[in-house]
Amino acid sequence: MFRTYLNPSSVRSTCRFLSSLPTYETLKLSQPKSHVVLVELNRPTKLNAMDKQLFDELKTCFEHLNTEKSCRAIVLTGAGKAFCAGIDLKYLSNTTVNELSQIDDVARKALHTRRMVQRTQASLRAVDKCEKPVIAAVHGHCIGAGVDLTACCDIRYSSRDASFSVKEVDMGLAADVGTLQIFPKQVIDHSLFRELVFTSRLFRTEEAQQIGLISRVFDTRDALLEAAVSLASVIARKSPVAVQGSKINLNYARDHTVDDNFSFISTWNSGMLLTEDIIKNVMAASVSKDKSDKNASDGAEFEDI
């Protein structure tokens, strides 16, 4: 599916990287391009519904990729026919019925439930907190916790067959792991977004684009993955100091006031402006200034961080 053009040293680096990757039962990792990691939710027979193991492995995986030097950009997708069909009802039933039935006191039930929700939040927030840009490539069903997961990604693409539902209201609860916490600061049509939240109805790519949930739509899953990996590859060729610094500051800006944001970036760049990557970009730009179709950073080689 993916064409890779790697020099011999890059091939050796890729082999070392792949051999060093942890293995998971509910996730599948690969490297379709240099410095790009493709993470697939890997419970295709369950339409990638999330259970405890998937939540736990998702957190472990993204915490690992956050510090993995050879990873600069990530594509997140689902194996099989769907991106994610939401939370696994069997897991939810076992948790709520079996575990809570063993606790008599109401306050202790509440504390136990709170810890369970916070563990789940931490799993998805690991994607949001990962300093490497994460591109969601959504196809098929994206339901409930699947929408929450996309909220924790930086960029969201989809195939035309994708369908979405903020399903939690139909289950008798408010979405608590991303959708209601992150999307209200990002969506562009709050009226429609609230309609979709309050009704839990299924919606397609047209409305998903209208509210700002996804930015681009592709005819097929293959085209979707090719575009997502291509974008990740472009990002991975940029200075990782600049890219990761940009994500850190974007997330900080989302969660703070304008005055806080200016203060944070002045402190951040007091150190980051000393990077040699700026000099490399300037030199690459001077070499390629007559080539209008070539980006300056494409000619520069940056060290991993």
Side-chain angles (χ1 to χ4, degrees), residues 94-105:
N94 287 341
T95 301
T96 57
V97 177
N98 295 344
E99 293 184 16
L100 293 180
S101 64
Q102 300 176 34
I103 306 173
D104 294 327
D105 183 71

Side-chain angles (χ1 to χ4, degrees), residues 199-242:
T199 63
S200 290
R201 70 171 173 83
L202 204 69
F203 59 100
R204 308 292 297 209
T205 55
E206 294 82 2
E207 289 183 307
Q209 278 190 300
Q210 184 177 337
I211 63 174
L213 193 151
I214 55 175
S215 55
R216 295 188 66 187
V217 179
F218 299 86
D219 288 335
T220 66
R221 181 173 182 255
D222 284 351
L224 163 69
L225 286 175
E226 184 175 351
V229 169
S230 178
L231 175 63
S233 182
V234 170
I235 294 171
R237 291 197 297 272
K238 308 293 184 182
S239 159
V241 170

Side-chain angles (χ1 to χ4, degrees), residues 54 56 73 143 200 206 301:
L54 179 50
D56 290 345
I143 308 296
S200 290
E206 294 82 2
E301 293 289 335

Side-chain angles (χ1 to χ4, degrees), residues 127-128 130 132-136 150-156 247 251:
V127 179
D128 180 47
C130 179
K132 319 298 174 64
V134 182
I135 303 165
T150 66
C152 296
C153 298
D154 300 287
I155 299 167
R156 294 170 292 275
K247 176 168 181 176
N251 282 5

Side-chain angles (χ1 to χ4, degrees), residues 22-258:
T23 57
Y24 306 96
E25 291 187 24
T26 63
L27 298 173
K28 182 167 60 176
L29 274 61
S30 59
Q31 191 178 33
K33 297 281 187 178
S34 178
H35 292 98
V36 174
V37 177
L38 177 65
V39 179
E40 294 181 86
L41 307 182
N42 194 32
R43 300 186 76 213
T45 60
K46 300 291 185 179
L47 298 180
N48 298 315
M50 296 185 178
D51 62 358
K52 184 180 185 301
Q53 185 175 13
L54 179 50
F55 280 124
D56 290 345
E57 291 189 347
L58 196 66
K59 182 175 186 292
T60 302
C61 174
F62 276 85
E63 287 178 343
H64 171 79
L65 293 178
N66 185 51
T67 58
E68 171 55 57
K69 292 183 177 181
S70 298
C71 171
R72 297 185 185 177
I74 302 164
V75 175
L76 177 62
T77 191
K81 297 180 179 180
F83 177 76
C84 176
I87 195 165
D88 190 313
L89 294 180
K90 183 178 179 181
Y91 158 66
L92 190 63
S93 175
N94 287 341
T95 301
T96 57
V97 177
N98 295 344
E99 293 184 16
L100 293 180
S101 64
Q102 300 176 34
I103 306 173
D104 294 327
D105 183 71
V106 173
R108 286 170 174 78
K109 284 180 184 286
L111 288 172
H112 181 83
T113 302
R114 183 172 184 265
R115 287 191 290 267
M116 178 193 73
V117 172
Q118 289 177 332
R119 285 197 302 270
T120 305
Q121 289 174 334
S123 296
L124 271 63
R125 286 300 302 281
V127 179
D128 180 47
K129 291 181 178 181
C130 179
E131 295 174 1
K132 319 298 174 64
V134 182
I135 303 165
V138 180
H139 71 288
H141 290 305
C142 181
I143 308 296
V147 178
D148 289 312
L149 181 56
T150 66
C152 296
C153 298
D154 300 287
I155 299 167
R156 294 170 292 275
Y157 285 0
S158 84
S159 58
R160 202 163 299 282
D161 71 338
S163 57
F164 307 82
S165 174
V166 184
K167 195 66 175 173
E168 282 81 358
V169 164
D170 276 351
M171 299 172 64
L173 52 88
D176 54 10
V177 289
T179 297
L180 302 187
Q181 294 70 46
I182 297 177
F183 274 141
K185 299 185 178 184
Q186 298 178 344
V187 296
I188 56 179
D189 188 335
H190 282 261
S191 174
L192 178 55
F193 178 67
R194 288 179 181 234
E195 174 190 326
L196 298 171
V197 169
F198 297 154
T199 63
S200 290
R201 70 171 173 83
L202 204 69
F203 59 100
R204 308 292 297 209
T205 55
E206 294 82 2
E207 289 183 307
Q209 278 190 300
Q210 184 177 337
I211 63 174
L213 193 151
I214 55 175
S215 55
R216 295 188 66 187
V217 179
F218 299 86
D219 288 335
T220 66
R221 181 173 182 255
D222 284 351
L224 163 69
L225 286 175
E226 184 175 351
V229 169
S230 178
L231 175 63
S233 182
V234 170
I235 294 171
R237 291 197 297 272
K238 308 293 184 182
S239 159
V241 170
V243 171
Q244 291 173 43
S246 294
K247 176 168 181 176
I248 290 167
N249 276 273
L250 281 168
N251 282 5
Y252 187 91
R254 180 193 66 197
D255 302 330
H256 293 79
T257 67
V258 173

